[in-house]
Amino acid sequence: MKLIARIAAPSVALVLAGLTATACAPQTSDNSAKKDDKSGTLRVWLFQEVNNKPKEQVVDAAVAAFRKAHKGAEVEVEYIPVETRAQRIKAAFNDPKSAPDLIEYGNTDTAGYVKDGGLADVGEEFTAWDEAKDTDPTAKKSVTVDGKIYGAPLFVGVRALYYRTDVFKELGIAAPKTQDELIATAKKIHKAKPELYGLAVGGAYTYGAMPFIWAQGGELAQESGGSYKAAINSPAAQKGITAYTSLFGDDNCPAAKCASMGGNATVTAFASGKAAMAIGGDFSHQAVEAGAVKGKYAVVPLPGREAGSIAPAFAGGNNIGVLKSSSHRTLAVDLMKQFTGKETQRKLFDAMGFLPTYTDVRAEVAKKEPFVEPFVRTLGAGAKFVPASSGWGQIDASLVLPTMFQEIVSGKKDVAAASGDAAKKMDTAFAAAG
């Protein structure tokens, strides 16, 4: 289970900062609600942010608007810790009497929660919802399993390339335009300034590595007939793995220090002035602004293989789903729309910096806040998602890909052997998921 791994707020995954766990929830018996009450109290679980007050204010406004439109309906919102969400949500799926009506969940959790029988199919209502037509296709994919829709996207997050404008100016270099240039630039900077990582990378930073694999035409897995088979050991994927792991070493980011780093650590290295470049998210902006490099950095899309291309980024984010056990389905769906509608997403961006999932609203906020522009361009170039299999949760929780990267950068295995072993582990997890 992975939410965007944010520096400023731990509720998103992913990245992979390391919060995992849901795909292991036991298969529940049929917990479908037997009634659809049009009044009463709806219970909602949302994620607790590091700085939660601005989020609470936006949520309170959405609840007030919902109550105004639904006389006789009350709403109780509980903010739950991200770190213990897996246990709470597992228990809710298995005990409908104590379960909430709606939950916020990480977008890589969708398939696992669907397999566990916890989320309601809201495809009919989502498709008929006028605002939904402007939903980013990748965000919509994150609530879709086997063609059915299990919630509405709340926000999306992607990563791009942060770089030190002062260092680049001093060395007379420009922002890299290809993946090869990026690697060469990182090593050039470290040679000129050994005290800096050229590009901070992490062996446990799966979502920072994925764009290298995708840019070379590789895939994590291939889907056929509703089931997945690992593709991490394909020739194209191995090219991307080779490119990423070439950044670990004394000529850029020493393996002894960088092999264990995750996304937060790489962004922290950049923000504190220890790296000339880092792959960070729109959600990393506040942390960088609060660091030593404030006023001395810029952001561009992570370059792809060809000049002018953008490497596909992982589309992280969170969704709002209705539980199958809710005895207030109609009201719950309406509240889901209120929480994830355009007005609320605009307010969440202003309050928390969360990128809207609607293409038109995202264009609006990009004009208002220039720092958003490279992330919007990255999304527009075509972001990608993890396999929509409940097996992904096990792959993630078992650190299959970080183990692969660490085996390579430590010299224990070459790319072919490490990716082959990773593929076997992935296939085992996919098979177990069915």
Side-chain angles (χ1 to χ4, degrees):
M1 176 189 223
K2 208 60 78 186
L3 301 98
I4 303 177
R6 281 181 271 139
I7 300 282
S11 86
V12 261
L14 63 211
V15 251
L16 255 64
L19 302 175
T20 59
T22 57
C24 309
Q27 184 75 33
T28 60
S29 56
D30 182 20
N31 57 3
S32 301
K34 303 299 186 287
K35 57 183 178 178
D36 184 11
D37 293 335
K38 302 303 191 294
S39 64
T41 301
L42 281 77
R43 298 177 60 226
V44 182
W45 288 355
L46 301 178
F47 291 141
Q48 175 86 33
E49 309 294 340
V50 171
N51 179 19
N52 206 55
K53 185 57 67 177
K55 179 177 180 177
E56 289 176 28
Q57 292 170 345
V58 174
V59 170
D60 289 347
V63 168
F66 172 81
R67 289 181 61 193
K68 186 176 181 180
H70 298 82
K71 303 301 181 185
E74 298 293 333
V75 179
E76 290 181 359
V77 178
E78 180 180 354
Y79 293 90
I80 67 173
V82 179
E83 294 82 357
T84 57
R85 69 190 185 280
Q87 296 90 329
R88 291 285 301 272
I89 293 173
K90 283 182 191 178
F93 288 169
N94 286 286
D95 184 12
K97 290 182 180 179
S98 65
D101 297 275
L102 292 93
I103 58 170
E104 178 179 356
Y105 66 93
N107 66 8
T108 59
D109 301 329
T110 310
Y113 286 176
V114 170
K115 183 182 180 184
D116 293 338
L119 296 175
D121 175 359
V122 295
E124 185 176 344
E125 296 95 332
F126 185 89
T127 303
W129 184 22
D130 185 57
E131 291 192 356
K133 71 180 187 302
D134 296 319
T135 301
D136 176 276
T138 306
K140 183 178 179 181
K141 187 176 180 181
S142 80
V143 293
T144 305
V145 178
D146 295 334
K148 296 180 179 179
I149 297 173
Y150 294 91
L154 179 64
F155 65 85
V156 67
V158 291
R159 292 162 180 78
L161 182 68
Y162 286 73
Y163 71 97
R164 287 276 297 274
T165 50
D166 57 337
V167 173
F168 275 58
K169 183 177 180 180
E170 179 187 341
L171 297 180
I173 53 180
K177 293 181 170 58
T178 67
Q179 192 175 90
D180 286 345
E181 276 186 29
L182 172 65
I183 295 168
T185 299
K187 295 179 179 181
K188 181 176 182 178
I189 292 171
H190 185 68
K191 184 175 182 179
K193 291 181 169 292
E195 72 277 12
L196 294 178
Y197 301 137
L199 171 64
V201 289
Y205 191 10
T206 308
Y207 292 161
M210 285 177 179
F212 288 79
I213 294 169
W214 289 328
Q216 295 293 335
E219 297 289 348
L220 303 177
Q222 296 286 358
E223 187 267 340
S224 178
S227 60
Y228 284 86
K229 184 170 179 59
I232 195 68
N233 58 339
S234 70
Q238 288 180 357
K239 284 183 181 179
I241 295 167
T242 299
Y244 185 67
T245 54
S246 72
L247 288 159
F248 293 81
D250 292 339
D251 54 358
N252 174 57
C253 200
K257 294 182 178 179
C258 303
S260 63
M261 292 206 306
N264 284 0
T266 62
V267 173
T268 298
F270 180 82
S272 63
K274 296 177 182 177
M277 295 184 285
I279 300 167
D282 54 279
F283 41 86
S284 306
H285 181 251
Q286 289 180 339
V288 175
E289 278 289 291
V293 299
K294 180 179 174 66
K296 298 184 290 188
Y297 74 93
V299 185
V300 293
L302 190 67
R305 185 170 55 184
E306 306 298 333
S309 67
I310 296 174
F314 165 72
N318 288 3
N319 304 325
I320 299 288
V322 174
L323 266 65
K324 191 186 290 187
S325 60
S326 172
S327 59
H328 302 89
R329 180 193 167 95
T330 299
L331 287 174
V333 170
D334 285 351
L335 184 55
M336 176 191 77
K337 293 177 183 177
Q338 190 72 53
F339 281 148
T340 62
K342 293 184 178 183
E343 181 180 356
T344 301
Q345 289 201 13
R346 287 187 185 98
K347 291 178 179 177
L348 276 175
F349 174 80
D350 291 339
M352 304 296 295
F354 295 166
L355 273 182
T357 64
Y358 300 100
T359 53
D360 56 337
V361 179
R362 205 152 57 215
E364 288 174 23
V365 302
K367 290 179 181 177
K368 185 163 57 174
E369 292 285 357
F371 84 85
V372 172
E373 189 269 343
F375 301 102
V376 173
R377 281 176 58 201
T378 298
L379 284 165
K384 295 178 77 81
F385 197 57
V386 297
S389 164
S390 59
W392 177 257
Q394 181 59 39
I395 292 165
D396 209 3
S398 301
L399 303 177
V400 172
L401 296 185
T403 298
M404 176 187 73
F405 294 129
Q406 290 161 356
E407 287 174 341
I408 294 166
V409 302
S410 68
K412 290 181 180 178
K413 295 178 183 176
D414 61 19
V415 171
S419 63
D421 289 345
K424 291 176 184 176
K425 294 174 186 175
M426 291 173 71
D427 284 339
T428 298
F430 288 139

